[in-house]
Amino acid sequence: MKESLLHLHQLLMPFGGLTTEEWAYLIDRLQKVIHHKNERIVKSQGDIYFVHSGIIVEQEEQETNRIVKSNQLIFIPITRSYAQLHTLTSCQLLLLDRKDLYHILARYPHTVALYDQLLQKNSEEEAERLNFLKRDKKSRITIFKASHRDVLPYMARKDIASYLCISEEYLRKNF
């Protein structure tokens, strides 16, 4: 868990980080979660996951929407979401559930600014995904190969096609 905490600390630093007291309070509320390959992650509204290691895909109605890798955050929306999280590899996660998040915000109200910055970063990543999908098919394949080479052994062709918003046939011919 020590290495996971170090990576989380490094992720938070560009946003101002936390004081020693706040960091200790956060650590006491984090839960270490380990998932094996090909497991569904049970999630609750408002939870925040930090992916220390492993690869996770977010899928909704058989469509792959997101690939999450080490040192990334997953925000589970407060609103109802039908998206599911599945592990492609064994994963080590740190979980901050909504109740504990509220405890931190109540005790250290200024940390809401850090939370807002992390949510903004998450929104920017979602916007990048939409911009990615505006590119032509060949560009999407090229970018995918460069960005997600480590994911290739674990993803089925249909999931890659779904993520790229192209047909499996087009993917087979052009990959």
Side-chain angles (χ1 to χ4, degrees):
M1 183 150 158
K2 198 172 196 175
E3 188 180 348
S4 300
L5 293 172
L6 176 63
H7 288 170
L8 178 59
H9 190 268
Q10 290 170 342
L11 177 77
L12 299 178
M13 287 309 293
F15 302 100
L18 299 169
T19 67
T20 304
E21 179 185 338
E22 294 163 347
W23 182 247
Y25 196 77
L26 171 64
I27 289 172
D28 287 342
R29 275 140 192 83
L30 290 171
Q31 302 166 42
K32 184 176 182 178
V33 182
I34 296 176
H35 284 279
H36 300 286
K37 182 179 177 178
N38 299 323
E39 285 187 346
R40 182 173 161 258
I41 297 174
V42 178
K43 58 189 177 68
S44 297
Q45 294 169 321
D47 286 351
I48 303 171
Y49 286 96
F50 170 71
V51 181
H52 169 65
S53 64
I55 303 169
I56 297 169
V57 291
E58 178 183 275
Q59 296 177 317
E60 187 170 349
E61 297 180 13
Q62 305 300 316
E63 298 294 319
T64 303
N65 299 323
R66 183 175 177 205
I67 299 169
V68 186
K69 298 190 247 184
S70 299
N71 301 324
Q72 289 186 298
L73 292 171
I74 302 172
F75 287 87
I76 308 301
I78 299 271
T79 58
R80 186 173 179 114
S81 169
Y82 296 100
Q84 294 191 1
L85 300 172
H86 299 276
T87 61
L88 294 180
T89 63
S90 294
C91 295
Q92 290 185 22
L93 312 170
L94 295 176
L95 166 64
L96 179 65
D97 67 32
R98 182 168 75 177
K99 174 183 59 78
D100 286 325
L101 171 64
Y102 289 167
H103 282 276
I104 292 169
L105 295 173
R107 185 163 179 168
Y108 303 104
H110 68 277
T111 58
V112 74
L114 174 62
Y115 177 75
D116 287 344
Q117 289 174 322
L118 292 171
L119 276 177
Q120 177 63 33
K121 181 179 188 281
N122 189 62
S123 294
E124 289 167 4
E125 289 172 2
E126 289 175 5
E128 285 175 22
R129 167 89 174 127
L130 294 175
N131 286 332
F132 170 76
L133 293 175
K134 290 178 184 176
R135 295 176 173 271
D136 65 88
K137 294 175 184 181
K138 286 193 185 239
S139 294
R140 283 182 267 167
I141 290 172
T142 302
I143 293 168
F144 180 84
K145 284 172 150 178
S147 302
H148 299 295
R149 184 168 302 286
D150 55 338
V151 175
L152 293 175
Y154 307 105
M155 280 186 84
R157 184 184 311 257
K158 71 176 183 63
D159 293 331
I160 294 172
S162 167
Y163 181 75
L164 296 173
C165 292
I166 58 177
S167 70
E168 285 182 63
E169 181 67 18
Y170 186 86
L171 182 65
R172 186 184 60 75
K173 289 179 180 176
N174 294 282
F175 204 77

